[in-house]
Amino acid sequence: MKSRARLLLLTAILVAGCLKADDGAGDDELGSLRGAVQGAFAPGSTLVWDLVPREYPNKVESVTWSLRDGSSLLVPFYRLAREQADSRVALMAHVTRDGRVTPLFAADDADAAPFTLTANVPPPTVLPCGDEAIVRICGPEDSTLWVTDIEQGRAQRSEISFAGCKAAVLGRALDGERFFLLQQRPQIVAMTEWSCQGGELQQTWVSDEPLPAMLTLPIWVEEIEPRVLAWVRHLPVAGGEVGSGQWVYERSDGAPPVSIGVSELPAPSGYDPTKHWERVRREASGSLLVDGIGGLYRWHVEDDGRVEMLGEAPSPEASGWQHVGFGTAFSSQSEPNPQLETLEVPLSYAVQLPTSDGFTSSQVPSTPCQTREACRRLGESYLRGIVHTDGGPLGLYLHWTWQLGPVPVGMSGGGGADLTALVIAPLDRALP
Amino acid sequence: MHPPARSVRWLLAGALVSLSSVASAETYYGPEIVTLSRQTIDVLKLHQHVIGQQLLLDKTPAFFELTLRSMPATLQYDDGGRSKVGISRLGLSTGFGFGKPRTGFAGFAGIQVDMVATTEFPNFFMQREGFQVGQGAVYGGLALFGFQATYGVMAETSGRGLNPQGYFTRRKFEFRPGTPSEVVGGRANQDDTLSSFFTFSHAEGLTVGATLAELGAEAKTQLAALRAQFSPVRLIDRLELREKLGVPGIGFERYAAEIDYWGDRFQDARRQAEAVANGIQNANPIPTTTSQEETWEIPVFVDDIAGTGLRARVIPQVKPEVKLRAVEVSYFLSGEGFKVGARTFAFQRGSSFTGSGEAYVALQPAFFDNFSIFGVPWVTLSYSYNTPESATFLPIPNAHVIGAQWLYGLPEMGRPLIPLVAREERSHEGGSYEDRSYGLDEEEF
């Protein structure tokens, strides 16, 4: 009997061993494509968006702002093309001065959709707030603010609704976990101070001496002394042409304003939202560095008020410069895709970067892969952003795979989704 | 209980336990096993075996061989699902002809297939979803006084059931508008090709074999393996030294850097595939623990030692580093209507030594004579463990492989399931060899 029982037990083991495994589908349907794409990227690359389905796969733009410690925050965004939330999509990426990249994901998965802007608002605006950053996303009527948690790789949307970008402008504080808001109200411009401590936005100060109403809001505001703000705004000439008038530098402590003609300091003066990236930086001396039209300028606002042209913008590649940050732009040469002429095949890219006395430009790789062929086998790549670091420039590349998302066997065609990845890769590589 | 009955029961129980352990299959993801399959299958080796045997026998006999060897495996698909299957290698070879190729004029033709596919296990007759890598050849040829030439057409499929990255899939894939035609055309699982080949051989002299294959990321056709061997069988027999000494031999083997003949890099490839398939995000591949350089070996052996059927072989590697790669001992015995053989290897895989064992039994069951219109077939069953063998299966580490073969016609025309060299039983019937060794050394790449 014992032998029979042992035999039965062994038979049961055999049957169990031969049973078919679960044939059910798993949740990572793109694992091997992800592996192939990531394996092709150049060493030192960091994914910002994992490979995700996208309805508008190549419509991504980006803007990069500098933070207090010399690091940068890069924010990708869409215009007029709303995409679904996806937890694998980082909303922005923090890049340290020495080039380390930290993708920042939405703290709440429901907020994980890439930023979508309407046509008439400026790109995302970034302000340092202590060790973190505030990101302002302008809407048609109001704006939302996001607070970063760089260490945790998160960005939290604030519940507070701020005024729209035509009615209010944000400014950097001298230090600490604060920022300022200048808001156009009937007859006056209100000045308020906000705290971002612990990721929570709180109003901490309201100026009891509001400023007189302004015809145009400042293009730049910053705290230059404790609770003393300085700003630059455009004073148009009545009936004058666009691009005429004056730039005025004013301080909230009543110091005499400093003016200069727009012709001497060419910078976008009308309300052209697409041209409002980080264009003004305050130097330690108090003078302002201005990323103007066609050149880099230093305006000695705390000295004799003169404007010095530091350098002229270099000539672009075939296309015009696409500006993505302070003094930073790229230009491309491309040809129509022979399989679909409405698409472009980028052949080469040139980038423009700011230096202490002007600009430098250079050719950079057209793909984030170790070789162009490696990327071309998998999809098309497009440069979409640039970050300047001490370790060399980094590029934000969009990679749009040839392969569509998987379609279950038996279904008719057309079911696959376009797949896009965003990756930050070093630009100072050999041109493959 | 009667002691013999108890022994039988425990023997049966032991067999069940071993079968159960065989069924606990390793998991495969696609790239590692498909690459190995592509590098291993070679229908031209089947072809060379047949035309070589024709010259040796001085006959062009009609024959049919079907060889199946299989191991249990678990496939992980790219949707995360898994299923238990068998990884099976199928060899089919059939041919016919007329005349005497060595001593006169002969003409011949045939069809051959060498394929690796997923099947049920142990029922390897039922194909399963998974992959299929194969080559098929149709050929014809002429021979005149030992000079033999063939021309053939070869079709090849390099993988089906794989996604564009080479992983097992149960779905179909599409490409977006704008995709370059070379990307669509070059996807791994639709790569069927047609080519033609010539061979030329002569009855006397040295054996030299070369395998061309598409290797590396560039997939350029290059020399994958070169094998030369000198074993003076006829001289030894003329000098009547077989009974005293055996048949000594020496060879030279060269494998391209991409060829992992001994399975040194297989586990690394599997770990890499596993990492990707399981979504471990790593922009840089897992580093391999072994270098990729071409390998040179100089095997030295004695077959049929002192006429006993024993064979001993030592394989020193001389490049990229000098080391003892393998030692082989085998034994073969044949009688009226049966053949048995066993072989064991001690060999170095990676940096450590491991061992393998295999055995087969072949029978020619007389009862077939009553109803088979094709004559009495040879039926062979085999089992192998951890064998670095690529002639009839894949050199997969620690694989339990079962095999079966049906052969109608002269047994020499079929590939041995386990390549062994045996005592020649030469009879002079019109100058031809009849019922001589069951197997020749077939460890071709």
Side-chain angles (χ1 to χ4, degrees):
Chain A
M1 282 301 287
K2 273 186 176 177
S3 297
R4 194 167 297 161
R6 286 188 192 125
L7 207 56
L8 280 170
L9 180 62
L10 288 166
T11 308
I13 291 169
L14 174 66
V15 169
C18 290
L19 280 178
K20 276 188 187 175
D22 176 23
D23 281 0
D27 55 0
D28 188 12
E29 299 189 337
L30 295 171
S32 56
L33 181 59
R34 283 201 182 93
V37 170
Q38 292 176 30
F41 290 153
S45 300
T46 305
L47 270 182
V48 179
W49 293 2
D50 205 343
L51 208 59
V52 285
R54 285 282 159 245
E55 192 173 349
Y56 304 94
N58 65 343
K59 301 295 182 191
V60 180
E61 300 175 40
S62 83
V63 66
T64 300
W65 290 73
S66 61
L67 300 180
R68 191 182 308 280
D69 60 357
S71 64
S72 304
L73 197 73
L74 183 152
V75 187
F77 63 93
Y78 281 93
R79 275 196 193 274
L80 303 170
R82 188 167 294 280
E83 289 282 5
Q84 296 296 313
D86 193 313
S87 60
R88 292 165 295 191
V89 167
L91 297 178
M92 54 197 85
H94 178 256
V95 184
T96 61
R97 194 171 185 153
D98 58 2
R100 278 180 293 115
V101 180
T102 306
L104 306 182
F105 295 87
D108 185 347
D109 281 353
D111 293 329
F115 297 124
T116 299
L117 307 180
T118 55
N120 59 348
V121 300
T125 309
V126 178
L127 285 177
C129 194
D131 294 333
E132 301 296 338
I134 301 292
V135 180
R136 186 190 197 192
I137 305 297
C138 299
E141 304 296 332
D142 57 3
S143 58
T144 54
L145 262 58
W146 296 70
V147 186
T148 65
D149 183 346
I150 293 166
E151 196 176 321
Q152 296 297 317
R154 293 271 177 266
Q156 175 79 51
R157 183 168 60 88
S158 169
E159 297 299 325
I160 301 172
S161 178
F162 278 75
C165 293
K166 282 184 179 174
V169 58
L170 301 183
R172 296 177 182 223
L174 263 180
D175 51 26
E177 301 189 338
R178 303 169 299 134
F179 64 94
F180 288 88
L181 179 75
L182 261 63
Q183 186 174 357
Q184 190 85 266
R185 295 235 167 92
Q187 313 298 325
I188 60 160
V189 171
M191 277 193 298
T192 53
E193 180 194 81
W194 291 75
S195 158
C196 59
Q197 200 163 22
E200 292 290 324
L201 298 185
Q202 283 187 322
Q203 188 174 295
T204 51
W205 176 73
V206 182
S207 169
D208 51 9
E209 294 179 14
L211 305 167
M214 297 177 183
L215 196 59
T216 57
L217 271 178
I219 62 165
W220 168 84
V221 179
E222 197 162 313
E223 185 185 36
I224 56 170
E225 290 172 21
R227 289 185 176 163
V228 175
L229 302 186
W231 58 87
V232 171
R233 64 189 174 106
H234 179 240
L235 280 184
V237 177
E241 296 174 357
V242 172
S244 62
Q246 286 190 315
W247 291 109
V248 184
Y249 173 81
E250 294 168 308
R251 293 169 52 132
S252 63
D253 61 358
V258 179
S259 303
I260 192 85
V262 169
S263 58
E264 291 177 71
L265 181 58
S269 54
Y271 185 76
D272 186 346
T274 62
K275 295 181 178 174
H276 286 192
W277 57 88
E278 183 186 8
R279 302 200 76 139
V280 181
R281 281 182 183 172
R282 187 170 190 268
E283 297 180 301
S285 64
S287 57
L288 302 181
L289 268 181
V290 180
D291 178 15
I293 295 172
L296 189 64
Y297 303 86
R298 178 173 285 132
W299 187 10
H300 297 270
V301 289
E302 297 289 345
D303 191 4
D304 54 6
R306 69 193 160 88
V307 169
E308 179 187 359
M309 185 177 190
L310 299 176
E312 195 173 339
S315 298
E317 194 93 343
S319 72
W321 290 115
Q322 168 93 30
H323 294 267
V324 289
F326 187 88
T328 315
F330 64 84
S331 166
S332 67
Q333 188 175 9
S334 58
E335 63 180 13
N337 184 324
Q339 267 73 39
L340 188 63
E341 294 206 345
T342 53
L343 294 176
E344 295 261 294
V345 179
L347 300 175
S348 63
Y349 281 101
V351 298
Q352 166 197 293
L353 297 167
T355 62
S356 57
D357 56 355
F359 296 100
T360 182
S361 70
S362 60
Q363 293 278 330
V364 296
S366 59
T367 73
C369 294
Q370 300 191 47
T371 64
R372 187 171 189 271
E373 290 68 31
C375 257
R376 286 281 296 166
R377 278 195 292 270
L378 293 163
E380 197 73 90
S381 304
Y382 306 88
L383 186 62
R384 286 289 186 252
I386 302 163
V387 186
H388 196 33
T389 76
D390 289 351
L394 304 177
L396 176 76
Y397 287 93
L398 182 150
H399 186 78
W400 179 15
T401 62
W402 303 125
Q403 185 184 319
L404 295 171
V407 184
V409 169
M411 284 186 67
S412 58
D418 286 291
L419 301 168
T420 294
L422 273 188
V423 60
I424 293 179
L427 287 177
D428 53 354
R429 293 175 278 138
L431 294 174
Chain B
M1 187 181 290
H2 205 266
R6 198 181 303 151
S7 300
V8 168
R9 286 188 181 189
W10 277 110
L11 205 62
L12 182 59
L16 284 170
V17 169
S18 64
L19 265 175
S20 182
S21 70
V22 165
S24 62
E26 296 272 0
T27 301
Y28 297 94
Y29 302 88
E32 77 285 39
I33 196 77
V34 174
T35 299
L36 189 67
S37 301
R38 284 177 182 150
Q39 291 184 353
T40 304
I41 60 165
D42 189 352
V43 77
L44 290 185
K45 286 295 162 210
L46 252 175
H47 181 66
Q48 285 173 356
H49 171 79
V50 168
I51 61 172
Q53 291 298 296
Q54 287 180 168
L55 284 175
L56 214 55
L57 296 166
D58 198 19
K59 281 184 175 180
T60 53
F63 69 98
F64 174 85
E65 173 214 324
L66 176 65
T67 302
L68 282 160
R69 300 192 81 192
S70 187
M71 60 168 258
T74 299
L75 300 193
Q76 179 163 324
Y77 299 96
D78 63 354
D79 59 8
R82 295 180 174 211
S83 64
K84 284 187 174 174
V85 300
I87 292 176
S88 301
R89 184 161 175 193
L90 175 146
L92 185 148
S93 181
T94 183
F96 64 94
F98 64 90
K100 293 180 178 296
R102 199 175 69 228
T103 58
F105 175 73
F108 52 90
I111 297 172
Q112 284 153 337
V113 174
D114 190 3
M115 178 177 283
V116 179
T118 42
T119 63
E120 296 281 358
F121 185 88
N123 180 10
F124 41 59
F125 294 100
M126 292 290 291
Q127 193 167 0
R128 285 286 306 272
E129 60 193 356
F131 74 105
Q132 194 181 88
V133 178
Q135 294 177 337
V138 179
Y139 69 91
L142 297 169
L144 185 66
F145 293 108
F147 291 93
Q148 190 169 242
T150 63
Y151 171 76
V153 177
M154 185 167 77
E156 184 167 4
T157 177
S158 61
R160 289 185 187 282
L162 305 172
N163 73 16
Q165 291 75 49
Y167 288 79
F168 298 126
T169 189
R170 298 183 283 200
R171 299 163 294 168
K172 67 176 182 178
F173 288 83
E174 294 177 340
F175 294 90
R176 65 176 170 87
T179 303
S181 51
E182 62 268 23
V183 172
V184 179
R187 56 181 293 198
N189 53 344
Q190 288 189 346
D191 195 11
D192 297 343
T193 57
L194 204 64
S195 58
S196 56
F197 64 91
F198 289 97
T199 67
F200 177 78
S201 53
H202 190 260
E204 300 290 338
L206 193 71
T207 305
V208 179
T211 301
L212 299 175
E214 289 182 351
L215 302 175
E218 302 301 320
K220 287 181 182 166
T221 300
Q222 56 178 290
L223 182 63
L226 175 69
R227 178 180 285 248
Q229 184 174 294
F230 177 65
S231 180
V233 183
R234 294 171 186 279
L235 180 65
I236 290 289
D237 285 339
R238 278 199 296 272
L239 298 175
E240 298 181 347
L241 288 175
R242 182 184 286 266
E243 298 296 331
K244 297 172 189 164
L245 175 67
V247 183
I250 188 167
F252 171 76
E253 288 159 5
R254 180 254 186 209
Y255 302 108
E258 291 83 356
I259 302 300
D260 183 24
Y261 183 81
W262 297 95
D264 295 340
R265 300 191 293 267
F266 184 77
Q267 295 295 12
D268 284 333
R270 211 167 71 117
R271 281 191 299 126
Q272 179 71 41
E274 183 178 17
V276 172
N278 289 335
I280 296 172
Q281 307 304 328
N282 190 335
N284 299 312
I286 293 171
T288 56
T289 54
T290 53
S291 62
Q292 281 200 20
E293 294 180 62
E294 67 176 47
T295 306
W296 290 12
E297 295 162 358
I298 301 179
V300 180
F301 56 88
V302 182
D303 286 336
D304 201 10
I305 298 170
T308 61
L310 267 173
R311 162 191 168 100
R313 191 163 66 132
V314 178
I315 306 175
Q317 176 184 293
V318 295
K319 191 180 175 184
E321 56 179 318
V322 177
K323 66 179 178 185
L324 178 62
R325 183 53 105 157
V327 175
E328 174 197 339
V329 176
S330 59
Y331 180 71
F332 173 80
L333 178 69
S334 68
E336 186 65 35
F338 83 95
K339 300 167 194 293
V340 292
R343 180 168 70 162
T344 182
F345 268 103
F347 65 100
Q348 204 166 345
R349 176 180 286 142
S351 56
S352 58
F353 264 93
T354 184
S356 71
E358 51 195 325
Y360 78 85
V361 55
L363 301 169
Q364 196 173 27
F367 67 86
F368 270 94
D369 207 17
N370 299 324
F371 56 89
S372 172
I373 58 172
F374 300 108
V376 182
W378 280 92
V379 178
T380 309
L381 298 173
S382 73
Y383 169 77
S384 302
Y385 170 71
N386 199 30
T387 305
E389 173 59 68
S390 62
T392 57
F393 199 66
L394 308 172
I396 297 173
N398 307 316
H400 298 271
V401 183
I402 60 170
Q405 184 181 64
W406 288 258
L407 176 69
Y408 288 94
L410 288 179
E412 290 85 349
M413 301 308 291
R415 286 177 306 169
L417 274 182
I418 295 166
L420 299 172
V421 174
R423 170 198 294 263
E424 292 199 38
E425 295 168 10
R426 192 174 188 180
S427 67
H428 294 278
E429 289 184 10
S432 66
Y433 287 83
E434 292 216 346
D435 195 22
R436 50 192 300 278
S437 64
Y438 172 68
L440 296 178
D441 191 5
E442 268 290 315
E443 284 174 286
E444 303 290 358
F445 166 74

